[in-house]
Amino acid sequence: RKGIDIQRLTVDLINIAKEAVIYSYAAKDSLLEKLHPEQASLLVRSFSSSQLLKYIDYLMETSARYRDATDGFACFEVCLLKMMDYEDSKPARPIEPAVRKTEAAVKPVEQPVMAEKKPEQLNEIQVEEKPAVEPVVEIKERRDLSDEEFYQILSISSKAVKEQCLPVWNQFCQETSENADLLRGSTLMAACDSNLIVEVRDRASADQLNELSNLNRMEQKAEDLFGCKRSLIFVTADQRDYLINYFRSRRSQAPKMAKEEKIAEKKNDVEQNLTELFGANGYTVVEE
């Protein structure tokens, strides 16, 4: 008994039994810390999960008694006796003879397809051969807007509406507990009567907040606070910079496009008047 830390020994046995139970369910070597895979496999073959869990209960009860016990080794020995008694109380497994020197021992084995099997045995074989089902990856729908859709929203947004919505949005972030971490540090980029474009800190947050399942709940709460229904769109800082540049580019092209449309419209009016006066082929237009 000298040199044996009975408390440490008990804790190690608990951890070993626990790892064996986990290995019986997961069968992953990466989950093992104290056991080698061969040792874990041996324990799983030798003891059922219910046995190992019962042994863990006995060991934990014994560990809790060491503090008040005068003889810790006596407590540990009683624990081992309980574990042996629990093992003896379980029905013994029938042991087949190693070698049977009879004609049946050398009889050729029939092919599985030819052998008669009971329905219960067939069911067991089907269960064992059933392939593992791959986990289904859920594809969540997200709200994704095109550049043109963003441009239309930004065109009808205004600073006045944004300043009016800002305190209400801050209140919304404070009262929303479900996505509080994702909304932390968010800012309003633009606002109009029907939409709010909100900047968040990273792409992962924007993607998760733009999931339709999240948006439906948040937009319902936002409607209660704002007093009207507004669609929420979440973007990152990079998206914000891109959208601002895209908006400015489109705005700079707008006067030129309007002038070209006006010239084309005027030209169409002149050609229509000439057609009414001289007929479809009664004149020739000379370009300057």
Side-chain angles (χ1 to χ4, degrees), residues 98 251 266:
R251 281 292 192 183
K266 184 178 180 180

PDB file of all heavy atoms in Angstrom, residues 98 251 266:
ATOM      1  N   ALA A  98     -14.252 -25.189 -27.381  1.00  0.00           N
ATOM      2  CA  ALA A  98     -13.293 -24.710 -28.366  1.00  0.00           C
ATOM      3  C   ALA A  98     -13.257 -25.618 -29.589  1.00  0.00           C
ATOM      4  O   ALA A  98     -13.193 -25.161 -30.716  1.00  0.00           O
ATOM      5  CB  ALA A  98     -11.906 -24.616 -27.736  1.00  0.00           C
ATOM      6  N   ARG A 251     -24.805  57.912 -60.406  1.00  0.00           N
ATOM      7  CA  ARG A 251     -25.310  59.287 -60.324  1.00  0.00           C
ATOM      8  C   ARG A 251     -24.596  60.198 -61.328  1.00  0.00           C
ATOM      9  O   ARG A 251     -25.210  61.081 -61.926  1.00  0.00           O
ATOM     10  CB  ARG A 251     -25.111  59.842 -58.907  1.00  0.00           C
ATOM     11  CG  ARG A 251     -26.147  59.381 -57.905  1.00  0.00           C
ATOM     12  CD  ARG A 251     -27.496  59.955 -58.227  1.00  0.00           C
ATOM     13  NE  ARG A 251     -28.432  59.748 -57.140  1.00  0.00           N
ATOM     14  CZ  ARG A 251     -29.709  60.087 -57.163  1.00  0.00           C
ATOM     15  NH1 ARG A 251     -30.212  60.645 -58.252  1.00  0.00           N
ATOM     16  NH2 ARG A 251     -30.497  59.870 -56.147  1.00  0.00           N
ATOM     17  N   LYS A 266     -36.613  63.942 -78.825  1.00  0.00           N
ATOM     18  CA  LYS A 266     -36.853  65.069 -79.736  1.00  0.00           C
ATOM     19  C   LYS A 266     -36.734  64.626 -81.184  1.00  0.00           C
ATOM     20  O   LYS A 266     -37.538  65.026 -82.049  1.00  0.00           O
ATOM     21  CB  LYS A 266     -35.857  66.194 -79.435  1.00  0.00           C
ATOM     22  CG  LYS A 266     -36.076  67.444 -80.260  1.00  0.00           C
ATOM     23  CD  LYS A 266     -35.087  68.519 -79.854  1.00  0.00           C
ATOM     24  CE  LYS A 266     -35.305  69.779 -80.697  1.00  0.00           C
ATOM     25  NZ  LYS A 266     -34.341  70.860 -80.337  1.00  0.00           N
TER      26      LYS A 266
END
